[in-house]
């Protein structure tokens, strides 16, 4: 399952009605200074929180200034693209409308959705490739009760691609939660963990009915690849 109707999921590779709608993309920019780059896990977790933060921002809801763009984006494929910036590039990105989320040494700025071919100049010039990050040591086990975005152990991804996929997983979980469950998660600062599942655990997760991202295959990986399962406590059972 994907968390959306199988015939019209925003992440499936088959052509659907979503492909007939104008296409938008959610820009995410990770700060990648040479001297102190974030760890891979910190960047992935911060990207997922940034997506959730934008979704619940008042500017994204009702008659908010970003609401139309967010609605148009969610009516089409839920594309996210991660670019990297440092120094003056980061400052220019930070001056554009958006939200910066910082956590664990990582900084990610999420901007309201833009047309696929209509990126602001300051963001369009930023590089997508080369976002390679490492974890100096194996991440600790997630704390009990914390939502976990599990990565497929058999699908290698660049850090930028994995950040986008973590954002997809967080968004699918958000859609499946009730209003009260969303409020509770927001009040917890969108606590979450991103981890790579073991092979046996991944098989269980894919068959569990939890929100599952099947990538559309626009970049890096094959269309239809299962990339992330979102295990939120409120969705288990």
């Amino acid at each position: 399952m994907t968390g959306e109707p199988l015939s019209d999921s925003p992440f499936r590779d088959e052509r659907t009605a979503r492909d007939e709608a104008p296409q938008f993309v959610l820009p995410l920019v990770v700060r990648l200074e040479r001297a102190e780059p974030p760890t891979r896990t910190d960047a992935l977790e911060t990207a997922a929180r940034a997506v959730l933060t934008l979704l619940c921002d008042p500017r994204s809801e009702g008659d908010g200034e970003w609401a139309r763009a967010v609605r148009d984006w969610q009516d089409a494929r839920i594309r996210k693209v991660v670019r990297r910036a440092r120094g003056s590039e980061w400052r220019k990105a930070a001056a554009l409308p958006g939200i910066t989320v910082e956590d664990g040494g990582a900084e990610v700025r999420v901007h309201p959705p833009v047309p696929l071919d209509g990126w602001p100049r300051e963001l369009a010039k930023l590089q997508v490739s080369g976002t390679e990050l490492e974890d100096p040591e194996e991440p600790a086990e997630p704390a009990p009760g914390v939502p976990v975005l599990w990565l497929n152990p058999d699908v290698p991804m660049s850090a930028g691609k994995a950040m986008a996929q973590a954002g997809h997983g967080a968004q699918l979980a958000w859609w499946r939660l009730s209003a009260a469950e969303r409020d509770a998660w927001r009040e917890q600062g969108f606590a979450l963990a991103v981890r790579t599942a073991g092979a046996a655990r991944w098989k269980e997760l894919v068959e569990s009915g939890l929100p599952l991202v099947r990538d559309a295959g626009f970049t890096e990986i094959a269309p239809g690849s299962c990339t992330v399962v979102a295990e939120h406590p409120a969705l288990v059972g």
Side-chain angles (χ1 to χ4, degrees):
M1 296 180 64
T2 62
E4 285 288 286
L6 289 178
S7 63
D8 197 26
S9 165
F11 303 115
R12 290 180 69 82
D13 56 307
E14 296 92 345
R15 190 166 185 84
T16 73
R18 288 179 178 273
D19 296 291
E20 307 307 321
Q23 299 295 303
F24 286 74
V25 61
L26 186 77
L28 294 136
V29 180
V30 57
R31 187 173 187 180
L32 207 61
E33 302 291 348
R34 288 190 178 91
E36 295 183 271
T39 68
R40 182 182 175 94
T41 295
D42 283 346
L44 268 59
E45 293 176 350
T46 305
R49 291 191 185 99
V51 171
L52 294 168
T53 300
L54 179 129
L55 289 173
C56 75
D57 191 282
R59 289 168 290 185
S60 299
E61 301 173 336
D63 295 324
E65 60 186 287
W66 300 343
R68 174 64 182 272
V70 171
R71 285 195 298 270
D72 288 345
W73 169 60
Q74 294 190 110
D75 284 344
R77 294 283 190 174
I78 311 301
R79 299 191 187 197
K80 301 177 180 70
V81 172
V82 177
R83 297 179 184 258
R84 57 189 173 93
R86 62 170 60 96
S88 62
E89 293 176 335
W90 173 258
R91 291 190 290 275
K92 290 176 182 178
L96 296 174
I99 305 166
T100 298
V101 177
E102 302 180 38
D103 192 39
E107 289 184 66
V108 175
R109 187 162 182 84
V110 58
H111 300 270
V114 298
L116 193 58
D117 58 355
W119 285 68
R121 183 181 59 183
E122 295 87 346
L123 300 182
K125 65 190 296 185
L126 300 177
Q127 292 187 1
V128 178
S129 62
T131 309
E132 298 304 330
L133 301 171
E134 302 293 338
D135 285 316
E137 56 189 32
E138 192 72 20
E141 287 293 319
V146 171
V148 182
L149 304 174
W150 293 102
L151 302 177
N152 186 338
D154 297 321
V155 178
M157 294 180 279
S158 68
K161 180 69 173 180
M163 289 170 67
Q165 298 299 301
H168 292 339
Q171 187 168 0
L172 285 184
W174 179 257
W175 285 346
R176 290 269 291 269
L177 297 174
S178 69
E181 290 163 346
R182 290 179 179 183
D183 288 343
W185 202 7
R186 183 189 301 113
E187 290 168 4
Q188 295 165 0
F190 295 121
L192 58 84
V194 178
R195 298 291 186 270
T196 300
R201 177 64 174 141
W202 178 253
K203 184 176 185 297
E204 294 174 355
L205 288 163
V206 169
E207 297 172 352
S208 68
L210 290 167
L212 168 64
V213 178
R214 292 181 186 271
D215 191 63
F218 294 120
T219 61
E220 287 194 30
I221 60 179
S225 298
C226 299
T227 57
V228 178
V229 172
E231 187 182 32
H232 192 290
L235 303 177
V236 175

